[in-house]
């Protein structure tokens, strides 16, 4: 059985002397080889530098492991170590590297690692990202505490449990715990975009691979146009097209519109034909017009529906449309007859005909309407979205309040999330 203190820091044991049971020096602890454990990442081997070579010692052969003594069992036979592809070493691959703090939704640097005993395995429990961790590495933690006390300050602990850590190197991703994967997927797209804007292109691939395509698409759309184009271009074309298919058509059109024509057409060619046609149609409109801002996916119902029919239609189609606050009543030729809000559908008796509760005198804009005119109507009539009519007076899409407001946000506010670039 290995005897290891319940918790200790990596900096306290690196470069410490490793001995055998007779007290003879074998070498100095150089690194730890990690594997994905049952609960936390586990140490499989210790790497020990001797005067002539680097030795690998299985964790099961360690008898004592603490900040004062590291010793191996008498029957242990260390073997010469040779680097293996895909192997994860703590000192080489994790210490001083960037990781994602999922709780804080930010990229941080690993200053030290807290190790501990879990079911007789040496595991990574937490990551130290604070100034205290740096002082500990340098051997000045006690001095730092003394100075802090003199200044009536506290030298705080800044540690993140490994449960909330997302490594940014692809070969480290297998050390990511289930909780971290789930929380990463649940992060707001704007937070994910903020993380992407702070890391290298190679690391971006790791982050996007950890997400489902819909979340990845929402995060990419939150990036500034220059970085957004760079990310899409660097992705495998199949992966990029899959992500674009999961985006709302207006957002996909925004992304493709910033790419070189040849690349945009390549990605459109890999997409579902119907999806590609919707996006291509949106791309033909000027950016700063209703046609360029609108989303071509919206909720429609027939004029002969009852409220019960309309609610069934809403449940059926809600997952495929961005906005479900309104259901637009259109005839078989796609002419707009009226609109009904979701609230009205919920509070009206199920057998009521839609024509009795729909608003027929509704506000609309043409595809070439300018943003200022759209904003004026949305603000004046307190609308969540406004329908866009084509040259034949048929409904072509809707412009939502968030899409139009984004154009009028102060420049500094829009750029704040991209301050790292």
């Amino acid at each position: 059985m290995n005897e290891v203190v319940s918790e200790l820091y990596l900096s306290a044991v690196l470069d410490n002397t490793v001995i055998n049971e007779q007290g003879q020096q074998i070498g100095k602890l150089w690194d730890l080889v990690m594997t994905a454990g049952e609960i936390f990442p586990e140490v499989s081997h210790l790497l020990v530098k001797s005067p002539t070579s680097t030795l690998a010692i299985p964790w099961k052969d360690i008898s004592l492991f603490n900040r004062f003594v590291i010793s191996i069992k008498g029957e242990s036979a260390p073997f010469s170590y040779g680097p293996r592809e895909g192997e994860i070493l703590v000192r080489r691959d994790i210490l001083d590297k960037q990781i994602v703090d999922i709780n804080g939704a930010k990229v941080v640097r690993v200053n030290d690692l807290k190790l501990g005993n879990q079911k007789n395995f040496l595991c990574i429990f937490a990551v130290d990202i604070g100034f205290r961790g740096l002082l500990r590495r340098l051997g000045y933690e006690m001095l730092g505490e003394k100075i802090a006390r003199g200044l009536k300050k506290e030298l705080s602990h800044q540690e993140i449990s490994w449960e909330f850590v997302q490594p940014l190197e692809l070969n480290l991703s297998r050390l990511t715990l289930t909780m971290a994967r789930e929380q990463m997927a649940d992060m707001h797209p704007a937070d994910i975009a903020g993380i992407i804007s702070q890391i290298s292109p190679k690391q971006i691939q790791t982050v996007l691979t950890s997400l489902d395509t819909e979340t990845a698409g929402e995060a990419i759309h939150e990036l500034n146009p220059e970085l957004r184009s760079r990310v899409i271009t660097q992705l495998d074309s199949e992966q990029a097209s899959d992500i674009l298919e999961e985006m709302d058509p207006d957002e996909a059109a925004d992304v493709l519109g910033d790419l070189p024509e040849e690349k945009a057409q390549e990605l459109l060619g890999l997409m579902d034909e119907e999806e590609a046609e919707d996006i291509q149609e949106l791309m033909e409109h000027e950016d700063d017009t209703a046609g360029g801002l609108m989303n071509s996916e919206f909720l429609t119902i027939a004029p002969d529906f009852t409220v019960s029919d309309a609610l069934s239609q809403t449940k059926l189609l809600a997952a495929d449309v961005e906005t479900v606050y309104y259901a637009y009543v259109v005839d078989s030729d796609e002419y707009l007859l009226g609109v009904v809000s979701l609230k009205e559908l919920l509070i009206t008796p199920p057998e009521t005909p839609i024509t009795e509760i729909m608003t027929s005198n509704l506000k609309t804009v043409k595809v070439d309407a300018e943003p200022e005119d759209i904003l004026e109507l949305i603000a004046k009539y307190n609308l969540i979205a406004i329908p866009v009519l084509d040259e034949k007076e048929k409904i072509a899409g809707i412009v939502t309040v968030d899409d139009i407001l984004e154009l009028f946000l102060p420049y500094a506010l829009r750029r704040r999330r991209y301050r790292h670039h």
Side-chain angles (χ1 to χ4, degrees), residues 42-269:
E42 297 172 354
V43 172
S44 65
H45 293 77
L46 273 60
L47 299 187
V48 178
K49 277 207 168 181
S50 71
T52 57
S53 64
T54 300
L55 303 173
I57 305 172
W59 172 250
K60 63 181 178 63
D61 290 345
I62 302 299
S63 58
L64 289 172
F65 190 93
N66 57 52
R67 61 180 301 176
F68 305 108
V69 179
I70 302 174
S71 68
I72 66 173
K73 297 175 182 177
E75 67 273 16
S76 175
F79 56 90
S80 182
Y81 170 76
R84 289 176 286 185
E85 187 176 352
E87 199 167 45
I88 299 172
L89 307 184
V90 175
R91 184 180 211 159
R92 184 192 69 188
D93 300 324
I94 302 178
L95 197 61
D96 294 323
K97 299 298 190 296
Q98 288 183 316
I99 58 165
V100 175
D101 168 11
I102 294 174
N103 267 351
K106 59 185 177 181
V107 178
V108 294
R109 180 178 181 270
V110 179
N111 292 330
D112 206 349
L113 290 156
K114 181 180 282 186
L115 307 174
N117 191 359
Q118 179 75 42
K119 294 186 176 181
N120 208 32
F121 282 97
L122 183 64
C123 301
I124 298 178
F125 281 180
V127 171
D128 191 324
I129 62 169
F131 184 55
R132 178 187 282 271
L134 282 176
L135 290 177
R136 189 186 307 114
R137 293 264 301 277
L138 296 170
Y140 295 134
E141 184 178 16
M142 299 297 291
L143 177 60
E145 286 183 338
K146 184 177 180 181
I147 293 172
R149 284 196 299 270
L151 297 172
K152 297 183 178 179
K153 302 284 186 182
E154 183 181 350
L155 191 60
S156 63
H157 290 270
Q158 290 181 269
E159 296 175 359
I160 308 167
S161 170
W162 193 266
E163 294 173 294
F164 308 113
V165 164
Q166 169 70 58
L168 288 170
E169 297 298 329
L170 196 56
N171 70 315
L172 299 182
S173 61
R174 63 181 182 273
L175 296 186
T176 304
L177 304 188
T178 301
M179 182 178 291
R181 292 187 193 280
E182 291 173 350
Q183 290 207 347
M184 187 76 177
D186 289 339
M187 287 176 68
H188 192 282
D191 289 331
I192 299 174
I195 289 166
I196 290 173
S197 69
Q198 300 175 56
I199 58 181
S200 69
K202 183 180 176 182
Q203 293 171 330
I204 291 172
Q205 178 71 41
T206 305
V207 171
L208 293 179
T209 300
S210 70
L211 304 171
D212 61 79
T213 51
E214 183 178 358
T215 305
E218 290 173 348
I220 288 173
H221 185 256
E222 292 283 341
L223 299 171
N224 69 63
E226 181 184 348
L227 180 56
R228 189 166 64 192
S229 299
R230 200 157 69 237
V231 169
I232 285 290
T233 303
Q234 289 167 348
L235 291 176
D236 172 82
S237 294
E238 288 286 352
Q239 183 184 10
S241 64
D242 288 344
I243 289 173
L244 288 165
E245 279 187 341
E246 291 296 327
M247 297 171 72
D248 291 321
D250 58 331
E251 295 180 354
D254 287 343
V255 174
L256 288 170
D258 294 327
L259 297 177
E261 178 67 20
E262 185 179 346
K263 183 65 176 178
Q265 291 304 318
E266 177 197 348
L267 295 178
L268 282 168

Side-chain angles (χ1 to χ4, degrees), residues 281 294-296 298-300 327-331 333-338 362 364-365 367 386-390 392-398:
E281 185 178 334
M294 71 181 181
N295 190 339
S296 59
F298 49 93
L299 185 61
T300 62
Y328 297 95
V329 185
V330 298
D331 63 18
D333 294 319
E334 297 183 352
Y335 285 103
L336 182 61
L337 304 177
L362 68 170
T364 63
V365 295
V367 289
I386 191 166
V388 181
L389 304 183
D390 64 18
K392 295 179 181 178
E393 299 292 318
K394 296 181 180 182
I395 184 168
I398 61 172

Side-chain angles (χ1 to χ4, degrees), residues 370-388:
E370 296 185 355
E372 291 80 2
D373 299 327
I374 304 170
L375 179 62
E376 183 179 346
L377 284 172
I378 284 179
K380 183 176 180 180
Y381 297 101
N382 196 27
L383 302 174
I384 302 296
I386 191 166
V388 181

